[in-house]
Amino acid sequence: MFEQTFKNIDDILHKDAGCSSELDYVEQTSWILFLKYLDDLEKDRATAAELTGNTYTPIIATAYQWGTWAMPKDQDGRLDHHIAKTGDDLTDFVNNQLFPYLKQFKQSAESADTIEYKIGEIFSELKNRIQSGYNLREVINRIDELRFRTHAEKYEMSHLYEAKIQNMGNAGRNGGEYYTPRPLIKTIVKVVAPTIGNTVYDGAVGSAGFLCEAFAYLTSTGSAGGNGLSTKDWETLQKRTFYGKEKKSLAYIIGIMNMILHGVEAPNIVHTNTLAENLADIQEKDRYDVVLANPPFGGKERAEVQQNFPIKTGETASLFLQHFIKILKAGGKAGVVIKNTFLSNTDNATVAIRKTLLENCNLHTVLDLPGGTFTGAGVKTVVLFFEKGKPTQNIWFYQLNLDRNLGKTNPLNENDLEEFVALYASRASAPKGPETANSWN
């Protein structure tokens, strides 16, 4: 339905002087896509209000609405070329009027969990990089072909957007920051098995893959007796379930957009450096029931950031692990991807963090992943599954042995992980896990 449109947009951006990489394409497509989404959302809200005899007050003032500046239509529903801006007029309007107007929502919004605040946050972080107003006009015309009104449309858009994120991941050395393979995320979500009413947190949210998959999982499994979700459940999922933090502005914008396309209207993602929070300041009210995350590997943190942690280390992932242990509620469950050297390193910090994990949490399962699981990252990784509140008694290891090499053209798929999920089901209710050619205790 929309795949060709996305290809056409990339072709237009490719010839623009302001956009030089896959990352720019995603970023620039995202802000225009977001405004089109917002327009569709406002139309849906206005229709809903009309049906109940209420009046709807639009979020965006008329002069800045999609139908006014981006796509003014004539009586036949076609773009009205007499009024529609293009060239320098269009870029001047976007850079000097539209962006400043949208930025100010951050100050005027009632609270951070509103769509108004998200608008302000996104447009404070971004700038329009499309230099030619003629290219911008072409991109807007294409994006206007996309619709977000039905479930099927949103579903297809979310898949195409994920594919863009994946390409971005494959394009750069740091692409792994943006993309965790979806089959792996789905498996982690299935094993951790959150339920409606749980709060689900990812402190290194990236493109929000874990939160999107947890939302999909809860919408499909959450309905008691399979009767569909109640209005109350739906509101819980929309407003009080998913929480994330992200340090980098591009990943933050992509994460928000990805969650919106998957059906979460105003995602609770905050643009902040998670590791800048002092662990000692985390109180019971700040804790979560479920942690799902793939913190960045290989990063190095400055001394002032390390001061926030009882166990000092420059290794980003080790600081994140301390953060996750602390921020879980008692009885809370986690699935966290980390470098496999975490299990064997003998430096003081790693030994101390392992001890903290094993004493404060029940590390019941370790999934050992093959090299090549993450495109472009030459590191071997494991997934740690643990519950907080009881010390570790017995660890079940499962080594994923595949009869092929993983890579860009041959990625991990869900079938690869089927045996692990099946064996884990019997592990969950027993003190020890099943022992097979690939698993041991």
Side-chain angles (χ1 to χ4, degrees):
M1 194 156 49
F2 302 136
E3 195 168 357
Q4 191 54 45
T5 305
F6 271 102
K7 285 202 175 83
N8 294 342
I9 292 167
D10 279 356
D11 291 342
I12 299 162
L13 293 176
H14 186 65
K15 63 185 188 196
D16 192 88
C19 299
S20 56
S21 71
E22 199 67 59
L23 275 70
D24 291 334
Y25 303 165
V26 177
E27 178 187 64
Q28 294 305 302
T29 308
S30 297
W31 74 258
I32 307 171
L33 201 56
F34 180 71
L35 292 178
K36 172 69 170 97
Y37 160 78
L38 203 57
D39 189 59
D40 281 4
L41 177 71
E42 295 241 68
K43 281 180 185 154
D44 286 347
R45 286 182 173 183
T47 310
E50 214 171 290
L51 292 172
T52 53
N54 296 318
T55 50
Y56 175 67
T57 311
I59 299 169
I60 306 290
T62 310
Y64 301 99
Q65 284 170 10
W66 184 262
T68 309
W69 72 269
M71 288 307 281
K73 303 266 172 84
D74 60 21
Q75 286 167 319
D76 303 327
R78 285 196 289 267
L79 177 67
D80 189 335
H81 291 283
H82 300 302
I83 326 173
K85 293 178 171 65
T86 187
D88 291 348
D89 290 348
L90 182 59
T91 41
D92 283 351
F93 173 79
V94 166
N95 297 340
N96 303 323
Q97 290 181 52
L98 180 68
F99 268 63
Y101 167 75
L102 296 169
K103 257 183 212 176
Q104 51 87 31
F105 276 99
K106 194 171 166 181
Q107 275 63 53
S108 59
E110 282 175 24
S111 64
D113 62 358
T114 57
I115 186 98
E116 287 85 344
Y117 185 88
K118 298 290 173 278
I119 296 167
E121 181 84 285
I122 286 174
F123 287 91
S124 303
E125 294 301 336
L126 272 177
K127 64 176 199 283
N128 166 37
R129 291 179 194 278
I130 305 170
Q131 287 182 8
S132 155
Y134 299 101
N135 289 342
L136 180 54
R137 164 50 58 206
E138 277 191 68
V139 173
I140 289 169
N141 293 354
R142 292 292 183 195
I143 283 186
D144 192 62
E145 298 165 8
L146 305 173
R147 290 177 311 280
F148 306 86
R149 307 296 286 274
T150 68
H151 181 71
E153 286 166 351
K154 279 186 184 160
Y155 184 76
E156 192 195 347
M157 290 288 293
S158 66
H159 277 267
L160 288 168
Y161 195 69
E162 290 251 326
K164 282 186 88 59
I165 299 168
Q166 191 173 0
N167 291 342
M168 188 167 105
N170 293 343
R173 286 190 312 280
N174 59 350
E177 289 179 32
Y178 299 103
Y179 196 77
T180 304
R182 288 308 172 257
L184 177 60
I185 291 183
K186 283 183 174 160
T187 300
I188 293 171
V189 171
K190 259 186 234 164
V191 166
V192 175
T195 53
I196 290 183
N198 284 163
T199 47
V200 180
Y201 171 73
D202 182 350
V205 85
S207 59
F210 279 100
L211 299 185
C212 290
E213 286 302 339
F215 176 72
Y217 174 84
L218 287 170
T219 44
S220 62
T221 59
S223 48
N227 308 327
L229 295 171
S230 67
T231 313
K232 183 167 172 270
D233 287 344
W234 186 249
E235 192 179 308
T236 300
L237 286 181
Q238 283 289 348
K239 295 192 169 160
R240 294 182 294 280
T241 300
F242 305 102
Y243 298 87
K245 292 179 189 145
E246 176 52 48
K247 173 177 160 184
K248 297 197 166 166
S249 23
L250 177 57
Y252 166 78
I253 284 132
I254 291 169
I256 283 200
M257 197 66 228
N258 203 17
M259 285 191 78
I260 282 173
L261 290 176
H262 279 81
V264 180
E265 275 185 15
N268 296 312
I269 299 181
V270 186
H271 184 224
T272 181
N273 180 1
T274 308
L275 302 179
E277 292 172 44
N278 194 314
L279 237 57
D281 295 339
I282 293 174
Q283 297 167 11
E284 191 51 42
K285 67 175 175 54
D286 307 317
R287 294 196 163 106
Y288 299 94
D289 299 304
V290 173
V291 168
L292 302 167
N294 172 19
F297 349 107
K300 288 279 169 272
E301 298 299 326
R302 301 185 310 277
E304 62 264 35
V305 170
Q306 295 181 39
Q307 292 312 311
N308 294 318
F309 293 85
I311 302 164
K312 315 274 182 279
T313 166
E315 170 68 52
T316 306
S318 296
L319 297 178
F320 266 110
L321 193 55
Q322 290 183 69
H323 171 81
F324 293 143
I325 295 168
K326 180 80 183 204
I327 212 157
L328 261 183
K329 287 182 179 171
K333 303 183 289 185
V336 178
V337 181
I338 200 161
K339 276 200 303 202
N340 70 346
T341 48
F342 172 74
L343 300 176
S344 54
N345 278 359
T346 53
D347 60 283
N348 292 346
T350 308
V351 170
I353 296 167
R354 273 202 306 265
K355 187 168 182 281
T356 304
L357 175 65
L358 296 172
E359 286 175 357
N360 294 289
C361 302
N362 175 19
L363 174 64
H364 53 81
T365 301
V366 173
L367 167 61
D368 189 355
L369 297 165
T373 299
F374 290 88
T375 314
V379 292
K380 287 260 294 164
T381 51
V382 292
V383 187
L384 307 177
F385 293 98
F386 55 91
E387 283 185 28
K388 184 169 167 181
K390 286 194 290 240
T392 301
Q393 300 290 317
N394 174 71
I395 304 174
W396 179 59
F397 287 89
Y398 180 92
Q399 187 162 33
L400 183 60
N401 291 314
L402 300 176
D403 51 7
R404 64 181 203 281
N405 290 330
L406 295 179
K408 210 181 270 193
T409 53
N410 198 351
L412 189 71
N413 62 53
E414 273 189 82
N415 295 345
D416 294 332
L417 291 149
E418 255 176 6
E419 186 192 53
F420 167 68
V421 174
L423 290 174
Y424 178 80
S426 58
R427 156 76 182 124
S429 53
K432 290 195 166 188
E435 304 216 345
T436 67
N438 295 326
S439 61
W440 62 94
N441 288 281

